[in-house]
Amino acid sequence: MSSSGNTGNTLLALVTGAIIGAGVGLLYAPESGDKTRKKLKKGAKDAQLKLNQKYQETASIIGEKAAKAKVEFESKLEETLSNASYKADDILLAMENKLEELRKKNAKLHKEVTVEKAKTSANKAVV
């Protein structure tokens, strides 16, 4: 953020300097009005060229920084998504292991209930 603030200050200083320079030139101009106007026009064109150049440089710097920030963001996003994927895989594996344990316990309980029913039926048949 401070870079764009510095750029704005630089542009403001450049424009202010051009205006002050033109004013001082008028005050101390020993030449005719026609020559003075030509000098002012040339000074204004020079200031405009400098301003345009500074604008192009600033736009280029901002574009480069935006591209760099985009690449960094995409890299961080990919890293975050990858980490989240690994964590999700770990959670799924733990859940699958727990489910398998529950299935084994259920099968064991089912077998015990079946054996108890068989014993009860056998006892009733004997009596």
Side-chain angles (χ1 to χ4, degrees):
M1 254 350 220
S2 66
S3 177
S4 63
N6 289 339
T7 303
N9 290 339
T10 302
L11 291 174
L12 181 62
L14 182 66
V15 171
T16 303
I19 292 170
I20 291 172
V24 169
L26 279 174
L27 291 175
Y28 291 103
E31 300 165 339
S32 69
D34 189 40
K35 286 184 181 180
T36 302
R37 283 190 292 280
K38 285 180 182 178
K39 281 188 176 183
L40 285 174
K41 188 175 181 180
K42 183 182 181 321
K45 283 184 181 182
D46 289 344
Q48 184 179 11
L49 287 174
K50 287 180 184 177
L51 184 63
N52 287 340
Q53 182 182 11
K54 195 64 174 171
Y55 172 78
Q56 292 296 328
E57 290 171 5
T58 302
S60 175
I61 289 170
I62 290 171
E64 289 170 6
K65 287 185 178 185
K68 183 179 177 183
K70 179 182 177 190
V71 168
E72 288 176 6
F73 172 77
E74 288 173 347
S75 174
K76 292 287 183 184
L77 179 62
E78 183 65 31
E79 181 181 335
T80 301
L81 291 175
S82 177
N83 288 339
S85 176
Y86 286 126
K87 288 179 183 178
D89 287 344
D90 291 344
I91 291 169
L92 287 173
L93 183 59
M95 290 174 71
E96 287 171 352
N97 289 338
K98 191 65 174 175
L99 181 61
E100 187 60 30
E101 285 178 33
L102 291 172
R103 282 184 180 146
K104 287 179 183 178
K105 285 181 182 179
N106 189 32
K108 183 179 176 184
L109 288 173
H110 185 66
K111 185 177 178 181
E112 290 173 1
V113 166
T114 304
V115 169
E116 277 300 314
K117 283 183 180 178
K119 284 182 184 178
T120 303
S121 293
N123 285 341
K124 284 183 182 178
V126 172
V127 176

